[in-house]
Amino acid sequence: MTATNPRPLDVLAVGDASVDYFVQVPHIATADGKAIGRLLSIQGGGMSANLAAAAGFAGARSGLVTAVGSDEPGRQALDRLAAHGVDVSASITVAGGHTWFCVVQLDDTGEKSLVGAVTEVKIPAAGQVSDDLLRTARVVAPLADDLGWALDLATRARANGAAVAVDLEPDAVSGRWDEVRALARASDLVFCNQGTAEVLAGGDPERCAALLISAGASVVVVTGGRNGASCHSRDGSWLARGPRVDVVDTTGAGDALAGAFTGSWILGRPLADSLRAGVATASLCVGHLGSRAYLDAGTGIGTTLRTVTLDAAPRLQGIR
C-alpha cells in the first residue's frame, strides 16, 4: 500500500484469513455422533478474506489486513489472496504462529457444518492497525466477531474519513444489544443473515433492519439463503433473488454477497444495483467448492446478473 494516493484502496477488510478443509460426509455429524467422510479439498477461507476478494471481483480496489502464522498455511493464505488481486502487504506474519483453520462438513445437498479451530493467530490487535492504514481506504470493513474490537476500528475509520461496513453474526450479537447499537451507529453498511435477524428481531428481516437503521446504520442488508436478500435504507427497500443453481457448497456465500455489495456501493452504484451484484456473486459462489473457487472458475458475472430478479419492497415501518 502506497502513500502517494490518500485513498489507494476502495475497500479495506480487517480481520481473518483461514485455511478451510472440506470433508464430504453422508450426513452432518450431530452431538455424540460420527460422520466419516473423505477430504475433498483444501481452500483459502476467512470471512474478511472472502469479503475483500469479492469486493475486488466487483471492480473495487481491495485490501486485507490480517494476521497469519509463519507456517505453510499462512503463506498460502496470503499468496492466494494476492493472486486474486487483494493487497495483503499490510498483513502481519507471526513468527512461530499457527494460522487458524476450519473443518467444513458438506452433505450431498451442499449444506455445511463448519467447525473453526482458532489458534493463537487469527486477527491483528486493534493497536496494530494504525490510523494511517485506515486512511488508505474509502471504506473499512472490520470483522465483527468481537464487537468491541470492531467498534474501535469502526470509530477510528470514521474519524479518518472512511465509511464502515460490518457483517453481524448471530453468536456475536446475542445478548449484546448495547454494543450492537453502538457499532450500527458507527457503520454505513450493516449485513445480517437470517440467524442474526432471529436473534435481534425474532426472525423478521424488516424489523431487524428497522432496529439497526434506527440505531444509526445507513443501509442494512439481510440475507436469506435461497430466498435471496433484502436491502433497506430510509429512502427505500428492495428484494433480490438469484437464479436456481445446483448448490455445491454454501461456504462463504454471505461473505461474497457482502463484499460484492460493498465494492459496488463504494464505486457509486445505486443500492438496488449493488444488491443485484451481491446476490449474483453469492449465486456464483455456491456453485463451486470453496468460498473463493468462483474466482478461479473464469465465470463472468454478466449472465448471472441478468438472471437476478429485483423488486421494490415496501418501505420500512417503525424507524425512529
Side-chain angles (χ1 to χ4, degrees), residues 1 12 14-15 64-68 89-95 120-134 149 152-153 156:
M1 298 177 188
L12 177 65
V14 185
L64 172 71
V65 183
T66 189
V68 297
S89 60
S91 290
I92 299 161
T93 298
V94 179
E120 74 280 11
V121 181
K122 183 180 179 183
I123 60 174
Q128 293 177 301
V129 184
S130 68
D131 285 0
D132 286 342
L133 184 56
L134 296 175
W149 181 89
D152 177 277
L153 288 171
R156 289 197 287 122

Side-chain angles (χ1 to χ4, degrees), residues 120-253:
E120 74 280 11
V121 181
K122 183 180 179 183
I123 60 174
Q128 293 177 301
V129 184
S130 68
D131 285 0
D132 286 342
L133 184 56
L134 296 175
R135 281 193 288 270
T136 65
R138 297 172 64 198
V139 57
V140 173
L143 183 69
D145 282 0
D146 180 332
L147 297 183
W149 181 89
L151 180 59
D152 177 277
L153 288 171
T155 301
R156 289 197 287 122
R158 274 279 187 89
N160 284 283
V164 173
V166 295
D167 190 350
L168 301 178
E169 291 288 310
D171 290 345
V173 304
S174 181
R176 304 179 69 180
W177 172 243
D178 287 345
E179 291 169 279
V180 171
R181 182 168 50 195
L183 185 55
R185 186 164 56 246
S187 301
D188 299 272
L189 303 179
V190 177
F191 298 91
C192 302
N193 60 26
Q194 190 58 40
T196 304
E198 185 69 39
V199 171
L200 296 180
D204 185 336
E206 287 77 21
R207 181 167 174 260
C208 179
L211 285 171
L212 293 167
I213 290 174
S214 295
S218 299
V219 178
V220 176
V221 176
V222 184
T223 62
R226 295 176 184 273
N227 294 321
S230 57
C231 173
H232 308 273
S233 72
R234 290 183 179 272
D235 297 324
S237 295
W238 299 266
L239 176 64
R241 290 186 176 88
R244 297 183 68 87
V245 298
D246 293 328
V247 175
V248 175
D249 171 26
T250 60
T251 306

Side-chain angles (χ1 to χ4, degrees), residues 23-29 33-39 105-106:
V23 181
Q24 181 76 52
V25 293
H27 57 84
I28 302 297
K34 291 182 180 180
I36 305 301
R38 61 185 179 89
L39 181 66
Q105 297 181 72
L106 289 174

